Amino acid sequence: MLNLKNHKRSFISLVALFSATELLLGILVQLTSGTLNTVVSFLVVVFACVFAFVAFSRERDYLYTQIALFATVMADLFLVVITPTYRVAGMVFFSIAQIFYFLRIYNEEKSHTIRRVHLIVRGSVIAIALLATIIILKEKTDFLSLISLFYYANLLTSLVFAFLEGKRMLVLAIGLACFAMCDAVIGLSTMAELYIAVEEGSLLYSIIHPGFNLAWIFYVPSQALISISTIKFKGKA
């Protein structure tokens, strides 16, 4: 396997090729439909998972991210490829992915104080999200709504703490931000479909039905950036 730490030009070329491939797939997601669209969409996450192997390392932060990327592939297998979709299974795998992103961010933090704050904040955000779900949905509360809010609470918390790390984790932070935007769109769509009524012509309806695949506008760069974040380049040109 190519050692990217000692080959700067190869590193740049591979990242550029991968980015161009993901961009092309992202465009095709918007232009295709049916089975072809399903294949193209799934390839976006598969390529992101596979690309991370070029930076293979036994370090925990790499392994956590690779497991998270694989869990994302499994989630999209249930949500994108298999018909009918298995939303609960998909959200369980997405939640697993977020747990491993949390472990990466937590593991890379050296300050014991910040680690403690991180755990307190994450636990509080999750508890508030689950409680709010029960209060708002009442008798409509189900496992899908709870696991979805558990997942999103973890994603938002990871996003905040990744940005707090500054340049050291900036690529991952931006990737998670795109991930959050994607899931905000999907979450609104799911809520409108299963839990709340949305009037045609309203702002929420326009967000859910913009005339193109808004969620994947954010999802494609999220997976590409998270995959690229596994590469720690240190070496000569």
Side-chain angles (χ1 to χ4, degrees), residues 98 101 105 155 158-159 162 172-181 226:
Q98 290 307 318
Y101 288 134
I105 296 167
L155 171 55
S158 292
L159 165 63
L172 174 64
I174 296 173
L176 291 174
C178 292
F179 213 150
M181 293 299 293
I226 291 171

Side-chain angles (χ1 to χ4, degrees), residues 1-16:
M1 183 173 291
L2 179 64
N3 184 351
L4 293 180
K5 292 184 177 180
N6 298 318
H7 295 82
K8 184 174 181 179
R9 292 178 182 175
S10 298
F11 159 78
I12 294 174
S13 297
L14 281 172
V15 171

Side-chain angles (χ1 to χ4, degrees), residues 38 42 45-46 70-86 89-90 93-94 219:
T38 299
F42 193 54
V45 293
V46 171
F70 178 73
T72 301
V73 171
M74 293 302 298
D76 280 320
L77 178 65
F78 287 105
L79 296 174
V80 176
V81 178
I82 297 176
T83 302
T85 60
Y86 292 86
F93 275 108
F94 269 138
Y219 194 45

Side-chain angles (χ1 to χ4, degrees), residues 16-29 40 42-49 51 219-225 227-228:
L17 178 60
F18 169 66
S19 300
T21 301
E22 291 288 87
L23 175 60
L24 176 60
L25 290 173
I27 293 172
L28 290 175
V29 167
V40 170
F42 193 54
L43 284 176
V44 169
V45 293
V46 171
F47 281 176
C49 183
F51 178 75
Y219 194 45
V220 175
S222 79
Q223 297 310 295
L225 288 168
S227 182
I228 291 171

Side-chain angles (χ1 to χ4, degrees), residues 64-122:
Y64 291 150
T65 309
Q66 185 63 78
I67 293 171
L69 288 168
F70 178 73
T72 301
V73 171
M74 293 302 298
D76 280 320
L77 178 65
F78 287 105
L79 296 174
V80 176
V81 178
I82 297 176
T83 302
T85 60
Y86 292 86
R87 287 177 172 168
V88 170
M91 292 312 303
V92 167
F93 275 108
F94 269 138
S95 295
I96 292 172
Q98 290 307 318
I99 289 171
F100 279 97
Y101 288 134
F102 151 59
L103 290 175
R104 171 182 173 178
I105 296 167
Y106 184 81
N107 181 67
E108 289 198 53
E109 178 55 60
K110 305 306 178 185
S111 170
H112 293 294
T113 300
I114 295 179
R115 280 189 169 195
R116 286 195 293 271
V117 170
H118 187 158
L119 291 177
I120 293 171
V121 170
R122 186 175 294 271

